[in-house]
Amino acid sequence: MKISSIIFDLDGVIVSTDEYHYQAWKQISDQEEIYFDREINERLRGVSRMESLDIILSHSDKSYSENEKRLLAQRKNDIYCELLNKLSPDDILPGVIDLLLSLKARNIKVAIGSSSKNTPFILKQIGLTSNFDAIADGNSIKNSKPDPEVFLLAAKMLGIPPVECAVIEDAQAGIDAAKAAGMKAVGIGSAANCLNADMKLSDLTNLDIDQLLEVNEFRS
């Protein structure tokens, strides 16, 4: 069966805001006197804001109420959103524009499947909002990856059966979500190390689009 739609994760696939996430969480951690480094930050890749906060707070001896957690998460997001103002089309990752143009030329539908609630703002900043046929994000789902909800929603919005969708992800949680949704999974960056990824690439410049679209069982 041929692939007829591609669902892209946003952060780490279309654009990288990893450094902004790190800086925001680092500020919160320092204010709370909680140890936080880039290794811990890697564990937050593809994870929701509240789940990320729980990972960070696990390094603290203090117990936090649900209200305190919500306030911390909001503070982090305020810092992060301020940093996002620096984003521009120059921050689009290598291979993205060429891939989107190639898919459009082949009449392949494309969507965003991201757990981030900041997805609309990020796409606006980099000028790609109109390039996608559907946008499923953290504003329209209840369960974050590795739950498949966001990818299933994207497929539904596209009107494409999950089995005809391929997902491009940079995180283990996203690869797991794609497989749980019954979709093919392309792991790039750190996700190229995921054993259950169907294709494994360093970045999108190395993607064989014919293999992606024409082969039912991908070879990594």
Side-chain angles (χ1 to χ4, degrees):
M1 181 178 294
K2 295 183 179 181
I3 297 299
S4 55
S5 67
I6 307 297
I7 303 173
F8 294 80
D9 178 38
L10 179 60
D11 197 6
V13 175
I14 299 296
V15 63
S16 180
T17 62
D18 281 357
E19 184 61 25
Y20 297 153
H21 278 296
Y22 172 74
Q23 291 179 25
W25 282 126
K26 180 64 173 170
Q27 284 192 46
I28 294 298
S29 299
D30 288 349
Q31 291 166 4
E32 295 297 311
E33 298 183 340
I34 300 172
Y35 180 76
F36 182 70
D37 59 18
R38 292 187 182 276
E39 184 175 344
I40 298 172
N41 190 61
E42 276 297 304
R43 294 174 56 198
L44 312 184
R45 189 183 294 272
V47 178
S48 73
R49 190 183 310 159
M50 295 307 297
E51 290 170 325
S52 294
L53 179 61
D54 284 337
I55 291 172
I56 292 171
L57 296 184
S58 69
H59 296 270
S60 174
D61 293 329
K62 176 183 175 181
S63 295
Y64 289 81
S65 67
E66 289 304 310
N67 186 58
E68 287 174 321
K69 289 182 180 180
R70 283 192 292 270
L71 290 174
L72 285 174
Q74 185 58 54
R75 278 167 51 196
K76 182 269 178 180
N77 195 54
D78 289 343
I79 297 169
Y80 175 64
C81 287
E82 183 64 30
L83 293 170
L84 287 180
N85 286 310
K86 300 177 182 179
L87 277 180
S88 75
D90 291 337
D91 294 300
I92 297 172
L93 291 172
V96 170
I97 297 300
D98 287 344
L99 178 56
L100 289 175
L101 290 174
S102 295
L103 293 172
K104 182 177 181 180
R106 298 173 186 236
N107 294 314
I108 301 298
K109 291 186 176 181
V110 293
I112 290 290
S114 170
S115 298
S116 173
K117 293 184 177 180
N118 295 304
T119 294
F121 182 72
I122 293 172
L123 288 174
K124 178 182 176 182
Q125 286 295 103
I126 62 176
L128 288 185
T129 302
S130 62
N131 291 73
F132 294 93
D133 299 296
I135 298 172
D137 62 20
N139 297 294
S140 50
I141 60 171
K142 294 181 180 179
N143 303 299
S144 298
K145 305 167 189 176
D147 190 284
E149 182 181 4
V150 72
F151 293 144
L152 292 173
L153 175 60
K156 181 178 180 181
M157 294 171 73
L158 291 172
I160 302 294
V163 71
E164 294 181 26
C165 298
V167 171
I168 301 178
E169 263 284 354
D170 75 319
Q172 178 72 65
I175 296 296
D176 291 343
K179 300 302 289 182
M183 302 175 180
K184 296 302 180 182
V186 179
I188 68 171
S190 62
N193 297 317
C194 298
L195 295 177
N196 56 338
D198 298 295
M199 291 182 70
K200 302 171 184 180
L201 307 165
S202 58
D203 58 52
L204 290 180
T205 62
N206 298 315
L207 178 61
D208 183 335
I209 193 168
D210 290 320
Q211 182 186 18
L212 174 64
L213 299 179
E214 300 297 336
V215 180
N216 186 33
E217 292 299 329
F218 294 150
R219 297 179 186 275
S220 47

